[in-house]
Amino acid sequence: MSDVVEKTLTALPSLLSLDSQPGSAKLSSNSKLGNLIRGITELTSKHEEEKLIQHELSSIKEQVSSPNTTMRQMRELMVRAVYCEMLGYEASFSYIHAIKLAQQGNVLEKRVGYLAVSLFLNENHELLLLLVNTVLKDLQSTNLIEVCMALTVVCQIFPKDMIPAILPIVEEKLNHPKEIIRRKAVLALHKFYLIAPNQVQHIHNKFRKALCDKDPGVMTASLHIYLQLIQENAEAYKDLTASFVTILKQVVGGKLPMDFNYHSVPAPWLQIQLLRILSLLGKNDQRTSEVMYEVLDESLRRAEMNHNITYAILYECVKCVYTIHPKSELLEKAATCIGNFVLSPKINLKYLGLKALTYVVQQDPKLALQHQMTIIECLDHSDVIIKRETLELLFRITNAQNVTVIVEKMLDFLRLSKDDHTTVDLAGKVAELAEKYAPDNEWFIQTMNAVFSLGGDMMQPEIPNGFLKLLSEGFDSEEEDRKLRLFAVNSYISLLQGDPSKLPQRFLQVICWVLGEYSYLKDDLDPVVVLRLLAQLLDMKGSSSDTKSWVLVAMTKLCWSETAVSVAQQVAETYSSSFDTTLRQRAQELQHLSRDSQLHSRVLPPGGSLEPVEVDSSLSFLDGFVSEALSAGAAPYKPLHQRQEELSRSKALSLEPYGLSLPISTSSCSITDRQSPTLLSTSSGLSGDSTDFSHRGSSTTLKLDGVRRVWGREGYLAQKEPVEEVAQVEIPSPLRSPGQQGDADSCHSRTPTANPEGDREKQQLASSLFGGLSSQSSVCLMEKSERFGRKAKGQRASSTPNEQRSDPSVSSSSAVDNLLCNNLLEENSEPIDSSTKQTFQHPQSLRVPNGACDAEAIISDDDTKGRNRPVSPEEHVEGDDFPPCEDKSKDLSLTAHLPAELSGFSHSEIIPLCSNRSLDLSACHVQTDNTVVLVVFVTNSSEDANLQIQVLSEELEVCCPCESPVEEVRGHSVSVRQYSLTVKRPLVHFELVGRLSYSAAGTLQSMQFSYKLPLTSFIRPLTVSTEEYGSMWLAFSHDTKQNLTLMKEEQEPLSATLNALKKKLSLHVVEIIGVEGLVACSLLQDQPCLMHCRVHAGRLAVWLRSPVADLPDCLLYHCQRALQEH
Amino acid sequence: MQFMLLFSRQGKLRLQKWYVPLSDKEKKKITRELVQTVLARKPKMCSFLEWRDLKIVYKRYASLYFCCAIEDQDNELITLEIIHRYVELLDKYFGSVCELDIIFNFEKAYFILDEFLLGGEAQETSKKNVLKAIEQADLLQEDTKEAETPRSVLEEIGLT
């Protein structure tokens, strides 16, 4: 068909021979629009066009406002006005007439009127209110076409506040006999849900009816709503999984009418929608995932590779398979699919293949290894998009060994990139990698220099801030810190001696700060030299006043010698009368401090340690002002994250640059540095702001974690090749350096080798790019979950002394070996999922003496410990038989194993964590009065095994009462472990990750699991009197305010709302006074949080206060949720 | 889907449909940037673009570029097929569609688009149903036309 279109679509020149065109019968070539269009095409210059259109517009304007113009003429005029707007000329005078046309015209005029309205206006336009009555009338019309038109316009634009006016009628349309009306009504409700979710909350059961509609079109439309709902809260819709699976089965099986086929594929849009829904439902949920395995398999099988549309379905299928709880056979098939995509000659498929690889590579690095040669080819692809995606992939597999090569490639790309957005994004990624994996100081500083000069001034401010923070806070070793700082000073001095006018302002600011703080470290450097270099920046044309402030501050720090003072005085003189107040302020500071050396040394001791300045981040001194303003009717402050949430709910196109994947928390940036002006302003740490950043940070890490967890390959390996896995785990990874070549070779033999010369080059690149990928997978994953690259840096720093430097691209074996040793040592010091390690193909090849022995010793040590340990004195229950498939009964029987001391308390549902053939891991948490206990049940359904469980969390302190890490679990029994949890730092949800390693019958295996629990588990009611409440209130410094929805209760909405919160979150209601309510709770025993509620304009204005940072924000989130669910 | 643009090889906008509220200034800026970017790409290149935080899916049919902006988690290939299905619908409706049909009858092209995509989501994927809906509305249009102003039809015939 597309050929036909291509042939018949013709270019403009044939315009005048219209009559010969078969499709031209409908062209109103004589109409005024036709004349206008023809007139425009005959013009040669933009200027002439403008003149013509202006003339046209004024004539339209004249006619629309004339009382003699009929509706029919009006219709024609509107079309012309729309055309003019499309060409980029404003015709706002016609908007009101478009509304009038929709209101007064007959059906066909109405249609144009509605179209013009939907094209002219956007959701927020005030004229839209005038449309409401027209829509209302048309919705009630007996003419189907009019109803359709009204619904169509409602789906596109409708004022949010007026939804209640038409909602009942739209709801009614869900029962309309015509499927087209039902379908449009469902889509209208979808639209309402998107712009005002709480308006349609009460009709959720109607959505279910739409899902069961006998017309496939209506059912498809309802899936849009479900996708949205499930994205927000998958838990609430798990019960629908089976229905979705059944629908998909029917669609795949070709049970729908032929009309829905697209290129003989049954309803592809529907299939993709369902696959997206299923992947959301099956994420992190084994039981739900199991329901869909069969249909996924079927989909993969049915979609034969022949047309774009089947690729689209396959791609969605692969994404789904990799998101839900893993199943080895499906993963294998999905991996083959990705392979086919990557190797495809079609460029679109290759792109998607790379994208899929990027998505899965952290879980399955083997897949990237398999395709390494293709990846390298893509790195030099002529299409920038492919190149960019390849870099994204490489970014995900970066480790300490390949970082130099990958960063080099990224910087190469950055040098050529012209797109601002890409530059910002990529610069952030390079900075992240450099921070995490830098092999040495020199490389780190040079890479950061490149980032700063290439990233320019668009760069995220977090990057320079993070960099300076890193320099100032340092690592474990003083000596290392000194070296790093000295190196930075040296590098910057030489940069300033070159041509600093080319450097971006941000970079200059960084340079100023570093020189101001650390140039004293360089013994042979006279501060006067530095001052002169800095002064030169002041005279540069391009310097912004911001940069000048930084320069002056740096100078202030440096002027402690006599000669220096005279230089400084001169500068201060010049700027102390500047028009820029900040500059003048800095100049004054410089002047005064340089005059008084005593004061100078007291304020700015050279090389003095950085004492963090205490900042009242809640700005509590403003409380009086705020409450006054509030009582005067001011809108309460909404924290940034909430405003953004509201914004994103309206689905606006975000024109901001990407949120960086760099998890730097600005909140922790608070004023550790003394004088930098910009830093001060960024860290004006309002509690709202700081939580926003931590939210953002956590959401990015969450994403990664989510993927990883689902993806533990243990199930895969354990089921598929248990014997091999044993081999893998017991062979330590130093074999890697030769084995890696072997890997490359073996993959090679699969891909056709054409040119041995070029190939060798590529192979070399391959080995440097994919080096250590296997061992990296585990190390990197653990590091990813850290909030900041500092830990990794620390390791780097500590490992530097015994590290030999050599050119990485040549990668002399000693360097690689050494790195590997370090890697290994690191591995042993941290809990790592050993099962993600690569299969080594040459276990008997060369060993590196050091690392190998160490690792082996440790592993075997572990092993023997496990085997010889006597039975630990923990609860053992024997002989119970657990049918593994009956979950209900399992839950019940596990409940019986709850330790006696916990039985009096309420416990959460026991959920399965992970399992394989012999072991089943489940867990729940129990809330006692003063703690939360995580109870882990290990059900062993085969023979005796020794096992060891580690549970970790960043934000929780995990305490295991039993001492022995290794424990024996007898065959066919349940072992119970307890961990008491305390909160280190409040979060909305806490996540625990754990690893279970066990040895049974001489083999060592391990599994990973994760467990999530909400903050509310840690919240306890706090009983205080109103007086106590009052005095506590004033003492707390962290706070947050927000408006919540009141429950729609006729009488006493306040007490009803508070009671609901009390029930859901176990809060204590201290007192209700008129329209105000006092509520108190505490985080476990000792971290109180107070809540002040006030009914204001039909909403509940809530103000939370606590001595604990972040607690008010997190609790507020749960209050919101609790009220939403209600 | 966030928006859909149709433009010619010369960079002239032929159709624009925005599914997110944006100011006119932003729309113009986006259109200008995108038209430039897409026109600069060579024929054998990938049909997908990463642009700001959106993904752009585009396809060229003869002298006309169809260009859609989708979000990150959306499926690029199915968007490509949405474009193709839209072209199929236009083709069926106009009977071998050409750029001129879309220029002179752009309001019809909008009507078809609105029956196919609504609020940025695929509304009806059955080709038959979309065309049926359009034809019903059109039929009514013809009827009323004849009933109300028989003369103008004659005029049109006479003038052509």
Side-chain angles (χ1 to χ4, degrees):
Chain A
M1 211 282 326
S2 64
D3 298 336
V4 183
V5 184
E6 307 242 358
K7 270 181 226 152
T8 50
L9 276 174
T10 45
L12 275 175
S14 59
L15 180 72
L16 298 171
S17 55
L18 287 173
D19 300 356
S20 59
Q21 285 284 333
S24 63
K26 285 177 194 148
L27 297 184
S28 42
S29 51
N30 63 323
S31 68
K32 285 181 183 155
L33 175 71
N35 288 334
L36 172 65
I37 293 167
R38 217 164 314 146
I40 290 168
T41 48
E42 279 159 9
L43 298 177
T44 46
S45 76
K46 184 81 190 161
H47 179 69
E48 281 178 320
E49 182 191 292
E50 207 176 312
K51 235 169 72 186
L52 183 78
I53 302 277
Q54 290 307 348
H55 180 253
E56 179 77 17
L57 281 175
S58 58
S59 112
I60 295 176
K61 193 171 183 176
E62 199 178 304
Q63 288 182 62
V64 288
S65 40
S66 144
N68 300 327
T69 311
T70 63
M71 280 296 141
R72 182 171 151 68
Q73 285 164 324
M74 196 66 111
R75 185 186 65 157
E76 209 274 324
L77 288 167
M78 276 308 128
V79 173
R80 268 152 67 200
V82 169
Y83 191 81
C84 292
E85 280 240 325
M86 186 160 67
L87 290 176
Y89 299 88
E90 203 211 270
S92 53
F93 62 85
S94 55
Y95 296 174
I96 185 75
H97 298 283
I99 292 179
K100 228 158 78 184
L101 188 62
Q103 203 167 32
Q104 297 168 359
N106 64 23
V107 180
L108 71 134
E109 290 149 7
K110 229 181 222 314
R111 194 181 182 204
V112 173
Y114 274 133
L115 176 70
V117 169
S118 73
L119 291 171
F120 284 150
L121 307 181
N122 69 28
E123 241 157 61
N124 310 318
H125 203 287
E126 49 191 2
L127 281 181
L128 216 49
L129 282 176
L130 299 177
L131 196 69
V132 175
N133 263 331
T134 315
V135 168
L136 201 58
K137 203 182 83 206
D138 285 338
L139 280 177
Q140 287 161 314
S141 161
T142 48
N143 185 337
L144 283 187
I145 305 281
E146 281 182 342
V147 180
C148 275
M149 286 189 306
L151 283 172
T152 305
V153 85
V154 163
C155 291
Q156 305 191 56
I157 39 163
F158 198 75
K160 206 193 304 199
D161 309 329
M162 297 310 287
I163 291 174
I166 59 164
L167 189 59
I169 308 173
V170 176
E171 269 178 70
E172 222 170 78
K173 300 292 175 213
L174 289 174
N175 300 321
H176 201 277
K178 276 283 185 199
E179 63 269 6
I180 184 169
I181 306 269
R182 293 203 301 276
R183 194 177 69 215
K184 283 184 196 265
V186 169
L187 284 169
L189 291 178
H190 173 234
K191 173 77 177 177
F192 293 165
Y193 182 76
L194 289 179
I195 59 177
N198 38 10
Q199 307 267 26
V200 286
Q201 257 170 357
H202 61 288
I203 43 175
H204 279 205
N205 57 335
K206 298 215 168 147
F207 296 156
R208 291 207 179 209
K209 221 183 121 207
L211 183 66
C212 304
D213 199 285
K214 59 181 186 297
D215 180 68
V218 182
M219 186 264 289
T220 312
S222 76
L223 291 183
H224 295 309
I225 299 179
Y226 276 105
L227 182 64
Q228 194 67 32
L229 290 170
I230 291 168
Q231 251 164 10
E232 278 156 27
N233 179 14
E235 287 307 316
Y237 298 92
K238 298 269 179 185
D239 58 321
L240 284 175
T241 314
S243 318
F244 291 128
V245 167
T246 320
I247 298 174
L248 185 55
K249 257 185 206 156
Q250 289 177 349
V251 177
V252 174
K255 299 270 161 49
L256 284 191
M258 290 292 278
D259 290 348
F260 291 90
N261 280 12
Y262 177 82
H263 294 262
S264 63
V265 175
W269 280 274
L270 180 54
Q271 283 195 45
I272 282 173
Q273 199 77 354
L274 284 167
L275 286 169
R276 282 180 71 181
I277 289 177
L278 288 182
S279 71
L280 289 170
L281 286 171
K283 192 173 178 178
N284 296 336
D285 185 342
Q286 183 176 3
R287 224 180 296 170
T288 314
S289 299
E290 274 161 7
V291 182
M292 50 187 91
Y293 288 150
E294 193 194 324
V295 74
L296 287 176
D297 193 52
E298 175 89 2
S299 294
L300 281 173
R301 205 162 45 77
R302 289 250 184 181
E304 284 143 19
M305 295 284 220
N306 54 8
H307 187 273
N308 248 343
I309 197 73
T310 51
Y311 297 133
I313 296 172
L314 273 180
Y315 179 66
E316 207 60 47
C317 244
V318 167
K319 262 173 50 179
C320 182
V321 166
Y322 273 101
T323 312
I324 63 171
H325 190 90
K327 179 174 159 91
S328 59
E329 291 148 48
L330 285 177
L331 286 178
E332 245 169 71
K333 283 183 186 167
T336 322
C337 257
I338 294 180
N340 287 338
F341 274 63
V342 172
L343 296 174
S344 164
K346 291 184 182 164
I347 189 159
N348 287 345
L349 295 188
K350 199 178 268 292
Y351 170 83
L352 287 183
L354 285 172
K355 229 182 103 172
L357 263 187
T358 312
Y359 187 64
V360 306
V361 74
Q362 270 166 339
Q363 290 71 48
D364 201 354
K366 200 171 72 182
L367 212 53
L369 275 177
Q370 262 176 31
H371 299 295
Q372 50 181 325
M373 293 322 272
T374 321
I375 294 173
I376 284 164
E377 275 161 24
C378 290
L379 208 49
D380 292 323
H381 203 281
S382 55
D383 191 343
V384 179
I385 300 298
I386 301 277
K387 243 183 181 169
R388 175 81 183 78
E389 195 57 42
T390 315
L391 285 180
E392 192 68 38
L393 173 60
L394 290 178
F395 168 71
R396 301 285 174 96
I397 58 166
T398 310
N399 57 33
Q401 288 172 59
N402 57 20
V403 65
T404 47
V405 192
I406 289 179
V407 164
E408 193 51 48
K409 290 276 165 200
M410 289 169 99
L411 289 177
D412 283 346
F413 187 91
L414 258 181
R415 284 186 191 106
L416 297 175
S417 160
K418 288 191 192 73
D419 174 36
D420 292 354
H421 199 266
T422 314
T423 307
V424 170
D425 183 47
L426 217 53
K429 286 187 167 141
V430 175
E432 186 185 340
L433 291 181
E435 241 163 51
K436 243 191 221 159
Y437 303 113
D440 57 71
N441 290 339
E442 191 176 342
W443 184 90
F444 178 62
I445 296 291
Q446 272 166 3
T447 306
M448 288 312 284
N449 285 355
V451 168
F452 289 137
S453 10
L454 292 170
D457 291 320
M458 295 162 302
M459 194 166 45
Q460 301 278 334
E462 282 94 336
I463 300 172
N465 287 358
F467 174 73
L468 293 183
K469 187 166 137 68
L470 208 78
L471 276 186
S472 66
E473 291 186 353
F475 317 113
D476 312 334
S477 134
E478 275 292 318
E479 181 54 23
E480 271 307 304
D481 294 348
R482 207 186 66 81
K483 274 193 201 157
L484 179 66
R485 290 168 188 161
L486 186 57
F487 195 88
V489 169
N490 282 333
S491 148
Y492 295 158
I493 291 283
S494 61
L495 272 174
L496 288 190
Q497 279 162 347
D499 182 9
S501 62
K502 281 188 198 135
L503 301 177
Q505 300 298 311
R506 280 264 172 73
F507 192 15
L508 289 176
Q509 292 163 7
V510 167
I511 291 177
C512 288
W513 190 85
V514 171
L515 290 182
E517 289 285 320
Y518 300 119
S519 61
Y520 75 90
L521 290 172
K522 193 169 156 72
D523 298 328
D524 54 345
L525 184 67
D526 187 350
V528 178
V529 177
V530 185
L531 278 179
R532 294 238 159 82
L533 284 172
L534 289 172
Q536 162 204 342
L537 296 181
L538 290 173
D539 301 332
M540 245 163 43
K541 253 192 229 143
S543 298
S544 68
S545 68
D546 228 12
T547 309
K548 285 180 185 166
S549 303
W550 286 73
V551 172
L552 290 178
V553 172
M555 286 180 144
T556 316
K557 291 178 205 164
L558 287 170
C559 58
W560 35 267
S561 79
E562 293 239 342
T563 33
V565 166
S566 68
V567 179
Q569 288 285 358
Q570 227 176 337
V571 173
E573 198 82 11
T574 326
Y575 285 93
S576 58
S577 54
S578 162
F579 285 122
D580 187 315
T581 44
T582 325
L583 263 183
R584 198 156 65 206
Q585 161 89 14
R586 302 289 165 216
Q588 294 286 350
E589 280 169 19
L590 175 58
Q591 205 160 31
H592 286 288
L593 287 173
S594 62
R595 271 194 204 131
D596 187 343
S597 64
Q598 257 187 334
L599 181 65
H600 185 266
S601 59
R602 219 176 68 220
V603 179
L604 302 162
S609 61
L610 300 163
E611 292 292 325
V613 179
E614 277 296 320
V615 177
D616 181 1
S617 66
S618 71
L619 305 180
S620 59
F621 51 86
L622 286 176
D623 283 350
F625 176 77
V626 171
S627 51
E628 213 169 276
L630 279 177
S631 60
Y637 173 73
K638 285 182 188 168
L640 191 59
H641 65 89
Q642 193 198 342
R643 272 177 281 156
Q644 277 176 342
E645 218 167 71
E646 282 171 11
L647 255 178
S648 67
R649 226 176 262 157
S650 67
K651 265 194 110 185
L653 179 62
S654 161
L655 295 171
E656 280 173 81
Y658 272 119
L660 252 204
S661 54
L662 207 58
I664 292 172
S665 103
T666 317
S667 61
S668 54
C669 257
S670 60
I671 330 274
T672 39
D673 29 2
R674 292 165 293 170
Q675 287 90 18
S676 45
T678 313
L679 282 186
L680 266 170
S681 64
T682 50
S683 53
S684 61
L686 279 169
S687 57
D689 284 337
S690 52
T691 41
D692 167 56
F693 276 104
S694 60
H695 271 232
R696 247 213 271 174
S698 66
S699 73
T700 44
T701 38
L702 242 182
K703 236 194 232 161
L704 287 172
D705 287 355
V707 182
R708 182 189 72 203
R709 259 183 287 114
V710 183
W711 270 87
R713 286 182 62 237
E714 62 278 352
Y716 177 56
L717 280 173
Q719 284 166 18
K720 191 59 195 159
E721 20 184 29
V723 189
E724 259 178 80
E725 195 201 342
V726 176
Q728 289 162 30
V729 175
E730 291 195 332
I731 296 155
S733 52
L735 307 172
R736 197 66 207 121
S737 49
Q740 179 189 315
Q741 194 59 43
D743 258 358
D745 284 344
S746 64
C747 297
H748 237 192
S749 53
R750 262 173 267 152
T751 49
T753 44
N755 172 1
E757 268 303 301
D759 254 26
R760 191 159 347 128
E761 217 170 86
K762 281 181 184 163
Q763 255 178 54
Q764 210 162 27
L765 184 59
S767 62
S768 45
L769 280 178
F770 296 90
L773 192 52
S774 47
S775 55
Q776 163 264 339
S777 68
S778 44
V779 177
C780 165
L781 285 182
M782 291 313 291
E783 282 167 0
K784 268 270 145 66
S785 60
E786 269 155 32
R787 290 193 56 76
F788 199 54
R790 286 178 40 70
K791 185 74 187 283
K793 268 300 258 185
Q795 285 172 355
R796 175 187 72 74
S798 63
S799 66
T800 321
N802 58 352
E803 187 180 291
Q804 294 166 8
R805 212 86 59 43
S806 68
D807 186 350
S809 59
V810 186
S811 94
S812 80
S813 64
S814 72
V816 173
D817 292 348
N818 245 321
L819 277 167
L820 281 167
C821 292
N822 291 333
N823 249 0
L824 244 199
L825 294 173
E826 282 166 26
E827 277 174 40
N828 285 327
S829 65
E830 268 189 275
I832 300 155
D833 177 359
S834 54
S835 70
T836 54
K837 274 189 205 152
Q838 196 53 47
T839 317
F840 303 123
Q841 286 160 353
H842 301 277
Q844 65 280 53
S845 51
L846 281 175
R847 294 186 168 216
V848 180
N850 245 337
C853 294
D854 275 6
E856 230 175 14
I858 287 167
I859 287 174
S860 55
D861 193 30
D862 250 11
D863 224 26
T864 46
K865 243 192 260 163
R867 244 172 262 156
N868 301 340
R869 189 161 291 278
V871 185
S872 65
E874 268 193 275
E875 297 100 310
H876 270 271
V877 184
E878 287 182 48
D880 280 11
D881 221 347
F882 301 108
C885 42
E886 283 170 41
D887 292 323
K888 276 271 160 58
S889 66
K890 194 161 98 187
D891 194 308
L892 279 178
S893 54
L894 284 176
T895 313
H897 293 304
L898 264 177
E901 69 268 26
L902 296 178
S903 57
F905 300 102
S906 67
H907 67 88
S908 67
E909 189 194 351
I910 299 179
I911 56 163
L913 295 176
C914 58
S915 64
N916 67 5
R917 268 187 321 189
S918 49
L919 284 184
D920 249 319
L921 222 64
S922 312
C924 68
H925 59 271
V926 182
Q927 306 182 13
T928 71
D929 289 337
N930 50 11
T931 180
V932 174
V933 180
L934 174 75
V935 184
V936 179
F937 304 89
V938 186
T939 311
N940 186 358
S941 50
S942 67
E943 329 104 79
D944 299 5
N946 286 308
L947 66 90
Q948 187 177 358
I949 304 179
Q950 281 168 315
V951 181
L952 289 173
S953 170
E954 271 177 65
E955 295 84 12
L956 292 174
E957 211 160 289
V958 184
C959 208
C960 182
C962 78
E963 274 131 49
S964 71
V966 181
E967 180 204 352
E968 188 178 319
V969 181
R970 279 193 226 140
H972 307 287
S973 71
V974 178
S975 154
V976 181
R977 299 202 149 212
Q978 298 180 35
Y979 301 87
S980 73
L981 309 175
T982 38
V983 178
K984 282 195 250 176
R985 196 166 60 81
L987 261 191
V988 172
H989 290 284
F990 297 100
E991 180 136 17
L992 291 151
V993 287
R995 187 169 72 117
L996 163 79
S997 36
Y998 68 97
S999 59
T1003 67
L1004 186 65
Q1005 306 202 22
S1006 74
M1007 298 196 274
Q1008 271 195 338
F1009 58 87
S1010 72
Y1011 189 82
K1012 202 169 156 183
L1013 68 169
L1015 177 79
T1016 43
S1017 321
F1018 295 90
I1019 297 293
R1020 304 284 178 272
L1022 177 69
T1023 321
V1024 289
S1025 69
T1026 311
E1027 289 76 38
E1028 283 168 322
Y1029 183 98
S1031 59
M1032 283 163 89
W1033 180 262
L1034 290 176
F1036 295 165
S1037 54
H1038 297 274
D1039 71 344
T1040 186
K1041 290 170 204 167
Q1042 194 172 353
N1043 279 346
L1044 299 179
T1045 40
L1046 263 179
M1047 283 173 44
K1048 291 195 179 67
E1049 201 82 17
E1050 292 299 304
Q1051 297 138 351
E1052 306 281 341
L1054 176 64
S1055 63
T1057 312
L1058 291 186
N1059 276 332
L1061 285 176
K1062 179 181 163 184
K1063 226 164 68 193
K1064 288 222 167 141
L1065 306 175
S1066 59
L1067 311 172
H1068 171 71
V1069 181
V1070 181
E1071 199 179 353
I1072 297 177
I1073 316 163
V1075 291
E1076 292 181 57
L1078 309 179
V1079 182
C1081 67
S1082 70
L1083 187 61
L1084 294 181
Q1085 286 299 296
D1086 46 6
Q1087 306 187 313
C1089 183
L1090 304 179
M1091 187 160 117
H1092 176 263
C1093 314
R1094 182 158 168 264
V1095 180
H1096 181 74
R1099 308 265 289 169
L1100 187 66
V1102 177
W1103 189 353
L1104 288 126
R1105 276 196 167 196
S1106 167
V1108 186
D1110 297 345
L1111 182 57
D1113 281 293
C1114 299
L1115 197 63
L1116 184 62
Y1117 170 84
H1118 284 288
C1119 290
Q1120 260 172 323
R1121 287 309 291 257
L1123 290 178
Q1124 263 170 24
E1125 281 163 21
H1126 212 85
Chain B
M1 192 181 292
Q2 303 242 353
F3 55 84
M4 187 179 204
L5 300 175
L6 261 70
F7 51 88
S8 70
R9 211 170 38 183
Q10 289 79 22
K12 282 250 189 282
L13 197 59
R14 296 294 176 215
L15 213 69
Q16 54 173 344
K17 191 83 197 179
W18 301 84
Y19 298 111
V20 283
L22 288 175
S23 74
D24 287 344
K25 216 173 122 199
E26 280 167 316
K27 286 182 190 171
K28 272 186 200 163
K29 186 161 173 259
I30 291 172
T31 313
R32 201 173 48 237
E33 274 183 41
L34 265 185
V35 168
Q36 246 175 24
T37 321
V38 170
L39 287 179
R41 292 184 55 84
K42 298 195 182 79
K44 291 276 173 209
M45 284 184 167
C46 190
S47 305
F48 315 129
L49 273 181
E50 269 157 52
W51 183 80
R52 297 197 188 166
D53 54 351
L54 295 178
K55 270 186 312 198
I56 306 297
V57 177
Y58 71 91
K59 192 163 183 188
R60 184 180 155 178
Y61 287 90
S63 57
L64 214 52
Y65 284 87
F66 291 70
C67 173
C68 296
I70 53 173
E71 278 136 272
D72 193 50
Q73 69 275 15
D74 290 334
N75 189 315
E76 292 93 340
L77 282 175
I78 199 81
T79 313
L80 217 48
E81 296 313 304
I82 284 184
I83 294 177
H84 191 73
R85 171 46 58 106
Y86 182 45
V87 175
E88 279 181 358
L89 287 168
L90 290 172
D91 194 60
K92 190 97 178 170
Y93 181 79
F94 287 109
S96 303
V97 69
C98 69
E99 191 182 337
L100 290 178
D101 293 321
I102 296 171
I103 297 173
F104 283 99
N105 297 290
F106 68 90
E107 83 274 19
K108 300 249 170 57
Y110 275 123
F111 292 143
I112 297 173
L113 186 61
D114 283 348
E115 282 304 318
F116 175 44
L117 293 176
L118 199 48
E121 308 282 359
Q123 175 195 183
E124 176 59 79
T125 56
S126 147
K127 187 150 71 176
K128 200 182 82 187
N129 288 354
V130 174
L131 290 171
K132 208 168 76 189
I134 292 288
E135 271 154 21
Q136 269 172 357
D138 277 355
L139 213 60
L140 204 76
Q141 191 159 337
E142 301 297 325
D143 288 350
T144 37
K145 216 187 241 172
E146 277 166 36
E148 278 181 8
T149 52
R151 239 183 57 218
S152 76
V153 178
L154 289 176
E155 257 172 24
E156 264 184 33
I157 295 164
L159 281 168
T160 9

